[in-house]
Amino acid sequence: MNIDQRLTTLENKIQQLELDNMLLTNLIAKAPPEWVIDSLDRARNSNLIPYPFVGINAQGSLDFYRIIDLLAKKEII
């Protein structure tokens, strides 16, 4: 395999990885789970929102949602 073929192969792999990354990001970055909606409303009313930066176009990570839910259940917010 010569250099041009290797370069083309690598470019194709990069494009495939970028597409895979975009698809996974879109899958993960959906609306918040139902179990945390009430807790998020309480957090908004307590001025704890906007969401922290999570590195993608999402409202929050599952860890963030778990923390917000725990704070609401413990009546901290």
Side-chain angles (χ1 to χ4, degrees):
M1 192 181 280
N2 66 28
I3 292 176
D4 288 336
Q5 290 172 326
R6 290 176 61 190
L7 184 58
T8 301
T9 301
L10 289 173
E11 287 173 342
N12 290 337
K13 287 182 180 183
I14 289 170
Q15 287 178 346
Q16 183 62 46
L17 288 171
E18 287 174 341
L19 176 63
D20 292 346
N21 184 41
M22 183 187 68
L23 293 173
L24 287 172
T25 299
N26 289 337
L27 179 67
I28 292 170
K30 290 188 176 187
E34 280 187 35
W35 54 265
V36 77
I37 298 297
D38 293 335
S39 300
L40 286 173
D41 290 340
R42 288 180 70 173
R44 280 187 197 98
N45 294 336
S46 299
N47 295 322
L48 293 179
I49 305 297
Y51 299 101
F53 176 75
V54 293
I56 58 174
N57 259 347
Q59 294 183 6
S61 66
L62 285 179
D63 290 335
F64 173 71
Y65 294 141
R66 288 183 189 112
I67 291 170
I68 292 297
D69 193 48
L70 176 66
L71 292 172
K73 286 179 179 174
K74 296 294 181 180
E75 298 181 1
I76 296 172
I77 58 171

